Amino acid sequence: MKKNKPVFIAVFSIFILPIVLLVIKFFPSALVFFSSVAVLVAYFSFIAFTYNLDKTEIALNYMTSWSFIVLMLLVENGFFHYVFIFFPLLVFFFIAYWSRPQISHSIHVKEKPLRRMMMMLYVFNTYAFFIGAYALHIYFPNFSFVLISLVSSAYSAFAAFMIWSLYFKSEFKKLLIWAIIFATIVFEIMWVMIYLPFAYLALGLLTVWIWYILQLFVRFHLTKEDIVWRQQIGFLSVNFILYILVLFIIRWV
């Protein structure tokens, strides 16, 4: 039987990613990079198999680590490097101590902000993954975009699945079906996006924007009330107008 996570493991989990990012920044070599990432993956795998961690914590450990590593690699501004190094301290403090929602009962009022924070972490992680996917395609155009879009669509569908699982219990089969549908839609969206004359940050934003709205409406559909379209007309109209404006404003981001 797995043990509960001790305090020193929770504390070390907060600091390990910033340490890895510092090492990557000050010792820029392929050997150091892959060794550091391997240590990070090994550590999170060890605590996942050794201690009694919630599935949300396990997923966010891996996904958030990858997100900050991708951003460190792709964003050239040195100031943002330090933001990406130190901001994970706050993020992983939240993951280590508050990523265990109690879904055995109806959502308690005090849990709603925590669920929203976890949802936004999944949104951030999906955005970072899309950035990395489009950057890989831009920098290595001969690399199969079919493979890139397949992996990205699966990743984004998993993130959506994890968001939905924060709100619904005992719905694995239903959520899995929607996740498969979701992956198919995202796969098609990415093939449209690559024809737009934008850089990876902009393409990631445009893709995750649609992804967020789609996963939100799937979540609404899964509730007893279903989607109340009259209440969503304003939301959809504003997002449509903003999306069109962004398409005309973005040049190179």
Side-chain angles (χ1 to χ4, degrees):
M1 185 175 179
K2 292 184 179 181
K3 303 174 289 185
N4 289 328
K5 181 176 62 178
V7 174
F8 77 90
I9 290 293
V11 172
F12 189 69
S13 298
I14 297 171
F15 288 93
I16 185 169
L17 179 61
I19 292 172
V20 166
L21 293 176
L22 278 171
V23 171
I24 292 173
K25 177 174 176 59
F26 289 106
F27 301 96
S29 72
L31 178 61
V32 171
F33 173 79
F34 287 110
S35 300
S36 301
V37 172
V39 169
L40 187 67
V41 172
Y43 170 75
F44 283 130
S45 299
F46 169 76
I47 65 172
F49 285 103
T50 305
Y51 300 107
N52 183 27
L53 304 185
D54 184 81
K55 64 179 181 180
T56 299
E57 182 175 356
I58 296 172
L60 287 177
N61 281 338
Y62 287 113
M63 296 171 75
T64 308
S65 297
W66 178 248
S67 297
F68 282 107
I69 290 171
V70 167
L71 292 173
M72 274 283 291
L73 293 176
L74 295 177
V75 178
E76 298 179 359
N77 189 296
F79 168 77
F80 285 106
H81 284 181
Y82 290 103
V83 173
F84 299 146
I85 289 171
F86 292 106
F87 187 65
L89 292 171
L90 296 176
V91 174
F92 276 88
F93 179 81
F94 167 76
I95 293 173
Y97 287 98
W98 286 312
S99 62
R100 289 173 172 263
Q102 301 297 322
I103 59 173
S104 58
H105 52 77
S106 59
I107 300 174
H108 196 276
V109 173
K110 69 178 181 180
E111 292 176 353
K112 290 183 178 180
L114 301 181
R115 291 171 188 268
R116 291 194 184 101
M117 290 176 68
M118 283 184 280
M119 181 191 69
M120 294 313 298
L121 265 181
Y122 283 118
V123 174
F124 165 75
N125 290 330
T126 305
Y127 174 52
F129 197 90
F130 281 139
I131 290 174
Y134 287 121
L136 181 62
H137 173 66
I138 290 172
Y139 289 130
F140 302 96
N142 293 327
F143 195 86
S144 173
F145 190 71
V146 174
L147 180 60
I148 293 173
S149 53
L150 280 174
V151 173
S152 300
S153 59
Y155 185 95
S156 64
F158 174 75
F161 177 90
M162 294 302 294
I163 292 174
W164 301 331
S165 66
L166 293 173
Y167 295 87
F168 308 100
K169 63 174 184 176
S170 304
E171 298 281 355
F172 176 79
K173 291 184 179 179
K174 184 184 292 186
L175 297 184
L176 181 61
I177 292 172
W178 274 106
I180 294 172
I181 297 172
F182 210 77
T184 305
I185 295 172
V186 172
F187 180 84
E188 298 291 340
I189 291 172
M190 291 189 69
W191 276 89
V192 174
M193 290 295 174
I194 60 172
Y195 292 102
L196 296 178
F198 304 137
Y200 45 81
L201 291 177
L203 291 174
L205 173 63
L206 294 172
T207 306
V208 82
W209 195 337
I210 298 175
W211 171 89
Y212 175 78
I213 293 174
L214 289 175
Q215 69 81 23
L216 190 64
F217 275 81
V218 170
R219 178 159 65 85
F220 291 161
H221 171 69
L222 293 171
T223 61
K224 293 180 180 179
E225 295 80 11
D226 206 332
I227 302 173
V228 183
W229 289 105
R230 286 180 298 177
Q231 297 179 5
Q232 304 303 329
I233 292 176
F235 173 77
L236 289 174
S237 300
V238 170
N239 276 274
F240 177 76
I241 294 170
L242 289 175
Y243 200 88
I244 298 300
L245 287 175
V246 169
L247 284 174
F248 283 99
I249 292 173
I250 292 177
R251 288 295 179 268
W252 183 267
V253 180

